[in-house]
Amino acid sequence: MAVELKGLSDNARKTSISELNGRLIDSIALAMAVKQAHWNLRGPGFIGVHELLDTVHENLRKHVDTMAERVQVLDGAAVGTAERVSSGSTLSEYPTDLTKVEDHLRALCERYRAHGEKLRAAIDATDEAGDADTADLLTAVSRTVDKDLWFMSSNLA
């Protein structure tokens, strides 16, 4: 049985489901990129960055769950299969030939900047549609993404 949310228009619900699924797909793709870097980086600063990427990945994982659960609350279907992530992510494909710590950090920071930009657009879209709760959820995700970007970029010369 669907949850009936009073005060939320059908347009707001549909907009939020669409925005959440888009950011969910990108977050899953980004989490996979973080693990690709985590497994393959080498060089100066290795252990600190290796451990940082564990935290960064965990932050994404938590937000993925929160976004997927909000889609369910809105009576939608959360989309996170490997096939949908592969075909639907708006982030550029993560290179698999990187090994240097700085190269991985630069590649991750580039994707984090793009992800943050899309999150801010989704915040605006859901707020304008009338779903302040989803906008608030996405704002929390955005804050964490920005902070993790800062932590990663602070390791670059």
Side-chain angles (χ1 to χ4, degrees), residues 15-33 57 59-74 76-91 112 114-116 118-120 122-123 126 134 137-138 141-142 145:
T15 298
S16 291
I17 291 167
S18 176
E19 292 293 338
L20 285 163
N21 270 323
R23 303 302 52 87
L24 177 65
I25 285 171
D26 280 349
S27 294
I28 293 168
L30 192 54
M32 294 168 71
H57 183 267
N59 290 341
L60 285 167
R61 190 195 64 71
K62 287 177 187 175
H63 286 305
V64 160
D65 243 19
T66 303
M67 288 186 283
E69 289 166 357
R70 180 68 181 165
V71 169
Q72 291 300 302
V73 168
L74 296 170
V79 179
T81 65
E83 297 80 11
R84 289 295 294 272
V85 171
S86 175
S87 67
S89 177
T90 64
L91 301 177
Y112 263 72
H115 189 46
K118 290 175 177 82
L119 282 165
R120 282 181 275 286
I123 292 165
T126 56
T134 297
L137 181 156
L138 292 167
V141 175
S142 174
V145 164

Side-chain angles (χ1 to χ4, degrees), residues 2-154:
V3 175
E4 184 182 346
L5 301 176
K6 300 282 186 183
L8 194 62
S9 73
D10 194 47
N11 178 60
R13 190 182 62 76
K14 287 176 181 176
T15 298
S16 291
I17 291 167
S18 176
E19 292 293 338
L20 285 163
N21 270 323
R23 303 302 52 87
L24 177 65
I25 285 171
D26 280 349
S27 294
I28 293 168
L30 192 54
M32 294 168 71
V34 168
K35 275 303 181 184
Q36 178 68 26
H38 174 82
W39 296 323
N40 291 290
L41 56 89
R42 294 186 191 104
F46 163 79
I47 195 62
V49 173
H50 185 76
E51 291 174 355
L52 171 61
L53 294 183
D54 276 333
T55 301
V56 167
H57 183 267
E58 181 63 16
N59 290 341
L60 285 167
R61 190 195 64 71
K62 287 177 187 175
H63 286 305
V64 160
D65 243 19
T66 303
M67 288 186 283
E69 289 166 357
R70 180 68 181 165
V71 169
Q72 291 300 302
V73 168
L74 296 170
D75 198 30
V79 179
T81 65
E83 297 80 11
R84 289 295 294 272
V85 171
S86 175
S87 67
S89 177
T90 64
L91 301 177
S92 59
E93 184 177 345
Y94 195 82
T96 57
D97 61 345
L98 302 179
T99 57
K100 293 180 183 176
V101 170
E102 282 208 10
D103 291 342
H104 278 292
L105 287 172
R106 287 184 205 294
L108 288 172
C109 287
E110 174 187 317
R111 283 152 186 82
Y112 263 72
R113 283 184 195 95
H115 189 46
E117 180 181 14
K118 290 175 177 82
L119 282 165
R120 282 181 275 286
I123 292 165
D124 290 344
T126 56
D127 191 44
E128 289 169 14
D131 186 356
D133 291 334
T134 297
D136 183 59
L137 181 156
L138 292 167
T139 299
V141 175
S142 174
R143 272 195 304 269
T144 302
V145 164
D146 289 349
K147 185 176 179 183
D148 287 342
L149 170 60
W150 171 54
F151 282 159
M152 289 186 290
S153 64
S154 293

